[in-house]
């Protein structure tokens, strides 16, 4: 990975040039209380918003802000925690009013935001060495056309397989040998079904349109070798017979009763597995953190491996990889100060980041090689065997989330859902998805948008 030449802009006396203005703001500084204003004093104030996450993640965010503010006397970070269900509305309103925070986390790809001019480039605001340890997978979702617009915190595989070893043993299966292919999954379910009680199922893969929309992207790539739209976004490509095989897979799971008729919980929840309503579940790597926190009694007989694939090949297009990276708002008046905070929290001492990964039970992959080494060396890693699975067996074989609009994902999710439930044939469902995607291409002028994104 090559890194363009960058110059470091320190946080020095230049940052104090605005102190008179800051003093005039008083307790009217957006998001601040009078007490916070007093604590900030003459320091340059950086507004930092973030979502509510899990308890250990929230605690880390709070601590890193506190530690940064205590580490120097030139910049003060004002933290605002926004509930997840209010995030989009609050951020949209702030951006429209020109009052968006200086720094905030962004999941997924950055391309649309870059195209709209929402973020500042980081190349000249952080030192060159800040980017040297970033993994290739993390760099891919943090750069657009070779320019850094985000600094990555983590990578999260969006699908891994969890299996209950006790149920496997009861069913006469090897508790250390989970299925790797569709055929092996069907065979395992045939043996598991007789030992299940009413209300229990072999596996939860989720059957609602929206979850199928995001959770099957890598499966689409794995079975067909391409996604349902051409690489230049000029034509839909959803009618490949390989996609019919994918739909038939879900139809088998549904018709045989291996999965519940309706999803047992939200698409990002491992609760059905923790409550032992299912013998297996395909869920994001974050699910292990949920199990450790809320269902510790199942952890000792839980296994974690790469998700099942059509052919058992677990070294290609296993899953998309979720992520969070921090960005600088394009309208920030405090770019250098905000970049100093990003450098401290995400690009500096590994000890700052280590608690994030340890306290979330080693369920997330670090975005930096040196941080990954520190996490793997932590004594707790030995008690979390899933950590090695995630970092070594899954993350290297993931694909990035697609760049095209979410509506394309929804069209495929709907096709899978309608056909698996018997409403329409796989071929007809895919033909309908193809028409929908063609309409999206025309409506959104996707070829022009794709050309703007470059390679």
């Amino acid at each position: 990975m090559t890194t363009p030449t960058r110059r470091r802009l320190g946080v020095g006396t230049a940052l104090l040039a605005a102190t008179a203005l800051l003093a005039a703001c008083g307790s009217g500084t957006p998001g601040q209380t009078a007490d916070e204003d007093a604590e900030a004093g003459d320091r340059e104030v950086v507004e930092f918003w973030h979502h509510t996450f899990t308890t250990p993640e929230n605690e880390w965010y709070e601590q890193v802000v506190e530690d940064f503010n205590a580490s120097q006397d030139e910049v003060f970070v004002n933290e605002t925690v926004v509930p997840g269900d209010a995030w989009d509305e609050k951020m949209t309103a702030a951006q429209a009013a020109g009052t968006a925070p200086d720094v905030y986390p962004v999941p997924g790809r950055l391309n649309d935001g870059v195209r709209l001019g929402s973020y500042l480039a980081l190349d000249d605001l952080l030192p060159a060495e800040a980017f040297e340890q970033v993994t290739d997978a993390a760099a891919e979702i943090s750069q657009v056309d070779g320019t850094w617009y985000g600094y990555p915190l983590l990578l999260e595989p969006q699908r891994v397989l969890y299996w209950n070893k006790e149920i496997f043993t009861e069913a006469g299966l090897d508790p250390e040998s989970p299925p790797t292919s569709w055929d092996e999954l069907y065979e395992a379910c045939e043996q598991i079904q007789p030992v299940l009680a009413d209300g229990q199922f072999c596996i939860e893969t989720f059957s609602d349109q929206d979850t199928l929309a995001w959770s099957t992207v890598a499966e689409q790539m794995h079975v067909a070798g391409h996604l349902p739209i051409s690489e230049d976004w000029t034509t839909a490509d959803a009618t490949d017979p390989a996609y019919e095989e994918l739909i038939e897979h879900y139809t088998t799971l549904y018709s045989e009763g291996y999965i519940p008729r309706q999803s047992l919980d939200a698409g990002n929840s491992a609760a059905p597995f923790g409550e032992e309503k299912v013998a297996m579940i395909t869920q994001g790597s974050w699910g292990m953190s949920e199990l450790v926190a809320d269902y510790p009694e199942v952890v000792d007989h839980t296994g974690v491996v790469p998700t099942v694939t059509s052919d058992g090949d677990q070294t290609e297009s296993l899953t998309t990889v979720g992520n969070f990276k921090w960005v600088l708002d394009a309208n920030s008046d405090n770019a250098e100060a905000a970049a100093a905070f990003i450098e401290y929290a995400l690009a500096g001492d590994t000890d700052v980041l280590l608690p994030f990964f340890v306290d979330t039970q080693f369920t997330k992959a670090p975005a930096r090689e040196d941080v990954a080494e520190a996490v793997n060396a932590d004594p707790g890693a030995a008690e979390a065997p899933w950590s090695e699975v995630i970092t070594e067996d899954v993350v290297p074989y993931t694909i990035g989330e697609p760049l095209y609009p979410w509506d394309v994902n929804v069209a495929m999710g709907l096709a899978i859902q309608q056909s698996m439930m018997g409403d329409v044939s796989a071929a007809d469902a895919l033909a309908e998805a193809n028409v929908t995607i063609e309409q999206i291409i025309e409506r959104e002028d996707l070829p022009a948008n794709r050309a703007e994104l470059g390679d």
Side-chain angles (χ1 to χ4, degrees):
M1 179 177 63
T2 58
T3 305
T5 301
R6 304 171 180 89
R7 63 186 178 88
R8 179 171 187 172
L9 298 179
V11 182
T13 55
L15 295 182
L16 302 179
T19 53
L21 175 60
L22 291 172
C25 290
S27 58
T29 302
Q32 274 191 261
T33 66
D35 288 343
E36 288 167 337
D37 246 5
E39 187 177 354
D42 289 337
R43 291 193 277 181
E44 186 154 3
V45 176
V46 168
E47 294 293 334
F48 174 47
W49 292 6
H50 65 82
H51 309 66
T52 49
F53 298 104
T54 62
T55 297
E57 289 174 277
N58 293 337
E59 290 174 349
W60 178 82
Y61 272 85
E62 182 178 356
Q63 189 65 54
V64 80
V65 170
E66 181 181 329
D67 290 347
F68 174 76
N69 286 339
S71 71
Q72 42 70 54
D73 58 6
E74 296 174 345
V75 180
F76 181 85
V77 172
N78 181 43
E79 177 191 22
T80 299
V81 182
V82 181
D85 57 358
W87 178 268
D88 288 344
E89 181 180 356
K90 186 176 178 68
M91 181 60 72
T92 299
Q95 289 173 329
T99 58
D102 300 289
V103 181
Y104 48 95
V106 174
R109 298 282 194 162
L110 296 174
N111 301 70
D112 282 345
V114 170
R115 179 170 56 84
L116 295 172
S118 300
Y119 316 129
L120 288 176
L122 299 177
D123 302 68
D124 290 336
L125 292 170
L126 294 175
E129 56 267 26
F131 303 98
E132 293 173 355
Q133 290 288 329
V134 176
T135 66
D136 290 343
E140 181 184 352
I141 50 86
S142 302
Q143 293 177 307
V144 175
D145 200 20
T147 298
W148 294 87
Y149 287 96
Y151 198 96
L153 168 61
L154 61 91
L155 296 173
E156 289 183 302
Q158 295 185 330
R159 286 186 63 154
V160 296
L161 179 70
Y162 300 79
W163 83 99
N164 185 310
K165 296 181 180 181
E166 287 187 348
I167 295 179
F168 266 56
T169 299
E170 185 179 356
L173 295 167
D174 184 346
E176 302 302 328
S177 297
T180 61
S181 69
W182 289 351
D183 286 342
E184 289 180 3
L185 176 61
Y186 306 148
E187 292 170 4
C189 285
E190 279 298 300
Q191 287 191 242
I192 289 172
Q193 292 285 70
V195 306
L196 297 178
D198 289 343
Q200 285 185 305
F201 297 88
C202 178
I203 184 169
E204 172 73 287
T205 63
F206 303 104
S207 55
D208 62 283
Q209 172 186 319
D210 286 346
T211 303
L212 289 168
W214 62 259
S215 68
T216 64
V217 170
E219 282 187 304
Q220 295 167 33
M221 175 65 80
H222 190 94
V223 300
H226 64 81
L227 293 174
I229 187 171
S230 62
E231 290 189 7
D232 61 3
W233 295 359
T234 58
T235 57
D237 196 8
T239 55
D240 189 320
Y243 290 145
E244 294 184 38
E245 297 176 14
L246 176 61
I247 290 179
E248 288 166 5
H249 165 60
Y250 280 91
T251 301
T252 298
L253 295 176
Y254 188 82
S255 63
E256 295 294 333
Y258 298 152
I259 62 175
R261 292 283 174 172
Q262 291 184 326
S263 299
L264 299 177
D265 210 307
N268 62 352
S269 174
F273 185 87
E275 295 167 357
E276 300 192 284
K277 294 179 179 178
V278 293
M280 293 177 278
I281 191 171
T282 54
Q283 186 52 259
S285 63
W286 57 80
M288 201 64 216
S289 180
E290 181 181 1
L291 295 178
V292 171
D294 298 337
Y295 306 97
E297 66 279 3
V298 306
V299 171
D300 63 345
H301 53 270
T302 294
V304 183
V305 289
T307 190
V308 171
T309 62
S310 59
D311 54 5
D313 180 1
Q314 296 184 312
T315 62
E316 184 178 4
S317 302
L318 285 178
T319 177
T320 50
V321 61
N323 62 88
F324 269 101
K325 81 284 298 172
W326 294 5
V327 300
L328 280 179
D329 191 77
N331 293 320
S332 173
D333 293 326
N334 308 313
E336 292 186 3
F341 173 53
I342 292 177
E343 181 180 351
Y344 173 90
L346 304 185
D349 193 332
T350 58
D351 287 344
V352 174
L353 282 163
L354 185 61
F356 179 90
F357 296 97
V358 173
D359 294 346
T360 55
Q361 303 297 325
F362 305 91
T363 59
K364 308 174 193 302
R368 287 167 41 191
E369 296 285 359
D370 52 351
V371 176
E373 292 175 4
V375 171
N376 292 335
D378 187 89
E383 300 175 9
W386 54 85
S387 174
E388 186 173 336
V389 171
I390 291 166
T391 58
E392 296 186 12
D393 299 337
V394 180
V395 169
Y397 310 110
T398 60
I399 63 173
E401 294 175 283
L403 296 172
Y404 48 68
W406 167 247
D407 288 352
V408 175
N409 290 339
V410 172
M412 291 298 287
L414 179 60
I416 296 171
Q417 182 193 46
Q418 287 182 324
S419 187
M420 69 185 280
M421 292 183 174
D423 296 336
V424 64
S425 70
D428 287 346
L430 290 168
E432 182 178 340
N434 210 68
V435 170
T436 300
I437 294 170
E438 291 284 4
Q439 292 171 342
I440 297 169
I441 290 171
E442 181 177 359
R443 183 186 74 220
E444 304 290 340
D445 194 13
L446 292 190
N449 290 343
R450 185 68 184 93
E452 287 185 23
L453 296 178
D455 297 330

